[in-house]
């Protein structure tokens, strides 16, 4: 296969796909960032308020919920993955379903629901790649379409996750690909991801918008791991396994009610999410944005300004963010990764006030442990993401992060019967016109 002319053509197409997909991903992320700032900060001031009122998130997220509900009800397709089920790498997205994914995810992310962009980016990248290859050659074999769709997913997700290798780990582990065909399947995607990363760097120089890097700079230095830190790794892994399972269980319990009345229940879910953010802002001196959104932009500031947070405020942040996250998982469309990472970091910061747990170690173990639970059990990816986020201290973190991740993974696996995931079809389109695969 590697010597065949057809496979060489796939590599060329994979490289070419990386260019338009990464450009779309870049401006998608920029649009999300601008929209979040506009709806939370600029719009209240434009309406005459001196700042963002405490109650503002309630109608804001409710409007987002209404738009998500309309997308799920009237546009073809499910609007994206069911995020409560973790990160899922499935078949290439039908081009007919692209509008529902784009609309539902933008409404989710822009108005403050507690989900991230990684899930929609994977689907949008896949759908764009399939659309391009169909336009170039309508009779492209199905296997080639699958490979090019995967290449589009690689290119889109790698623009967000710092490194093309991070995207490779995520999609490889999520898909459960194995055997001697791994390199054959992955090569077009890696090539697309590498080209996409280059395009992102170039767009940064042209536009000045930034590269959306997730690496956290200027974190406190950490020495070699101690016996006490290994003990804390077990504690944090157990706690993350329980908390993450509880978040997913609550989401699964709410989901059937949302599915039956999507146009009414999704805006109501937005009211609840906004209410949690408003309540947190009312009982602390922090802003509602700490609870709203995915947390990917707020995470560096949380770590760097950890001294400005009391233990009580961090505990409240974990509580309200977890509740808002669970409701968002049940009703909105987006990725499950970053809110879990943020909650893990906040929990690790709170625990770092205890003896024997340095701040950076607590943050790293919390991020890794919550990530593996909320992704639905991808331990290699969880470790890699944590080390890329905190890369300046990766060498000193790797051993304790691995322990925390494995403990959390095993704990969540043992609690999985209690979490009661939905039966087949719950994550699919609840109402409206069905999608026809392959279009």
């Amino acid at each position: 296969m590697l010597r065949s002319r057809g496979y060489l053509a796939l590599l060329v197409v994979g490289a070419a796909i990386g260019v338009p997909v990464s450009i779309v991903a870049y401006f998608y992320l920029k649009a999300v960032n601008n929209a979040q700032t506009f709806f939370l900060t600029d719009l209240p001031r434009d309406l005459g308020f001196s700042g963002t009122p405490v109650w503002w998130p309630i109608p804001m997220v409710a409007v987002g919920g209404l738009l998500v509900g309309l997308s799920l009800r009237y546009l073809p397709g499910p609007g994206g993955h069911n995020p409560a089920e973790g990160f899922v790498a499935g078949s290439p997205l039908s081009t007919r379903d692209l509008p529902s994914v784009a609309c539902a995810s933008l409404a989710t992310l822009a108005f403050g629901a507690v989900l991230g962009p990684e899930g929609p980016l994977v689907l949008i990248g896949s759908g764009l790649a399939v659309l391009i290859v169909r336009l170039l050659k309508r009779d492209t074999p199905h296997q080639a379409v699958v490979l090019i769709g995967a290449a589009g997913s690689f290119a889109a997700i790698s623009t967000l996750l710092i490194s093309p290798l991070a995207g490779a780990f995520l999609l490889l582990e999520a898909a459960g690909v194995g055997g001697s065909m791994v390199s054959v399947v992955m090569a077009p995607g890696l090539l697309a991801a590498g080209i996409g990363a280059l395009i992102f760097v170039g767009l940064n120089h042209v536009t000045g918008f930034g590269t959306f890097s997730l690496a956290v700079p200027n974190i406190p230095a950490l020495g070699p791991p101690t016996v006490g830190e290994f003990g804390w790794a077990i504690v944090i892994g157990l706690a993350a396994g329980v908390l993450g399972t509880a978040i997913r269980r609550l989401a699964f319990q709410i989901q059937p009610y949302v599915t039956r009345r999507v146009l009414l229940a999704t805006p109501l879910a937005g009211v609840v999410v906004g209410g949690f953010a408003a309540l947190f802002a009312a009982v602390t001196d922090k802003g509602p944005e700490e609870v709203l959104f995915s947390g990917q932009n707020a995470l560096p500031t949380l770590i760097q300004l950890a001294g400005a947070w009391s233990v009580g405020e961090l505990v409240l942040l974990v509580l309200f963010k977890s509740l808002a996250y669970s409701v968002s998982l049940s009703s909105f469309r987006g990725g499950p990764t970053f809110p879990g990472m943020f909650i893990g970091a906040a929990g690790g910061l709170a625990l770092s006030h205890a003896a024997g747990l340095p701040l950076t170690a607590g943050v790293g173990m919390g991020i890794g442990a919550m990530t593996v639970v909320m992704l639905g059990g991808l331990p290699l990816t969880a470790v890699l993401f944590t080390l890329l986020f905190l890369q300046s201290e990766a060498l000193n973190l790797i051993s304790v992060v691995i322990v925390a991740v494995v403990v959390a993974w095993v704990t969540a696996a043992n609690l999985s019967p209690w979490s009661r995931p939905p039966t087949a079809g719950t994550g699919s389109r609840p109402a409206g016109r069905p999608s026809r695969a392959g279009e």
Side-chain angles (χ1 to χ4, degrees):
M1 181 180 292
L2 291 177
R3 292 192 298 268
S4 69
R5 185 174 301 176
Y7 187 73
L8 292 177
L10 276 178
L11 290 175
V12 172
V13 174
I17 287 293
V19 176
V21 169
S22 60
I23 291 173
V24 170
Y26 184 93
F27 287 103
Y28 174 91
L29 292 173
K30 180 60 179 175
V32 167
N33 287 345
N34 286 352
Q36 290 176 349
T37 301
F38 173 77
F39 288 119
L40 184 65
T41 304
D42 297 341
L43 183 58
R45 292 176 180 172
D46 293 343
L47 293 175
F49 296 101
S50 58
T52 302
V54 169
W55 50 264
W56 182 261
I58 298 175
M60 184 180 80
V61 190
V63 170
L66 176 61
L67 295 176
V68 171
L70 290 171
S71 299
L72 298 180
R73 179 65 179 85
Y74 293 109
L75 293 178
H81 297 136
N82 176 1
E85 296 176 351
F87 187 88
V88 179
S91 302
L93 182 72
S94 165
T95 55
R96 188 169 180 260
D97 295 345
L98 266 174
S100 70
V101 172
C103 292
S105 64
L106 284 172
T108 293
L109 301 173
F111 287 89
V114 187
L115 291 171
E118 72 282 1
L121 277 177
V122 166
L123 292 176
I124 290 171
S126 170
L128 285 175
V130 171
L131 174 61
I132 292 170
V133 77
R134 291 294 194 195
L135 290 175
L136 293 175
K137 188 178 181 182
R138 292 192 59 84
D139 59 346
T140 303
H142 175 72
Q143 187 178 19
V145 171
V146 171
L147 286 175
I148 294 302
S153 295
F154 267 85
I157 194 64
S158 296
T159 54
L160 175 68
L161 298 178
I162 306 169
S163 163
L165 289 178
F169 262 77
L170 175 63
L171 294 179
L172 175 63
E173 196 172 15
V177 179
S180 60
M181 292 297 291
V182 170
S183 298
V184 174
V185 174
M186 301 285 278
L190 282 173
L191 192 56
I195 297 295
L198 181 63
I199 294 297
F200 246 48
V201 173
L203 286 173
N204 176 40
H205 289 297
V206 171
T207 66
F209 290 157
T211 57
F212 307 101
S213 173
L214 301 177
V216 180
N218 305 319
I219 60 175
L222 183 67
T226 65
V227 174
E229 289 173 28
F230 278 99
W232 275 112
I234 296 173
V235 171
I236 291 174
L238 290 170
V242 173
L243 176 60
T245 301
I247 291 171
R248 297 183 71 193
R249 175 181 171 85
L250 179 58
F252 287 142
Q253 296 302 307
I254 298 171
Q255 207 163 56
Y257 300 99
V258 177
T259 301
R260 288 195 291 267
R261 296 287 187 272
V262 66
L263 286 180
L264 175 64
T266 313
L268 182 59
V271 170
V272 174
V273 172
F276 285 134
L279 184 58
F280 173 79
V283 300
T284 68
D285 63 351
K286 308 300 182 183
E289 68 275 5
E290 304 293 348
V291 171
L292 298 173
F293 309 119
S294 69
Q296 69 188 72
N297 295 326
L299 184 55
T301 304
L302 176 71
I303 298 171
Q304 293 162 356
L305 301 180
W309 290 80
S310 68
V311 175
E313 288 172 335
L314 289 168
V315 171
L316 288 174
L317 178 60
V318 170
L319 173 63
F320 285 111
K321 188 85 169 182
S322 297
L323 291 171
Y325 183 23
S326 191
V327 176
S328 299
L329 286 170
S330 72
S331 312
F332 290 82
R333 288 296 184 267
T337 308
F338 296 108
M341 299 178 80
F342 185 90
I343 291 168
L349 284 177
L351 292 174
S352 70
H353 287 264
L357 181 61
L359 184 150
T360 301
V363 168
M365 289 185 277
I367 289 176
M370 281 298 295
T371 300
V372 75
V373 178
M374 300 315 300
L375 286 181
L378 306 179
L380 298 178
T381 299
V383 172
L384 180 63
F385 279 14
T386 303
L387 299 182
L388 287 174
F389 253 82
L390 307 174
Q391 55 190 257
S392 63
E393 293 298 322
L395 185 61
N396 290 322
L397 278 172
I398 185 168
S399 56
V400 291
V401 168
I402 288 173
V403 173
V405 165
V406 172
V407 171
W409 181 33
V410 173
T411 301
N414 280 277
L415 292 174
S416 59
W418 180 77
S419 68
R420 294 173 57 189
T423 56
T426 301
S428 60
R429 181 178 185 80
R433 295 175 302 231
S435 171
R436 291 174 290 179
E439 291 190 5

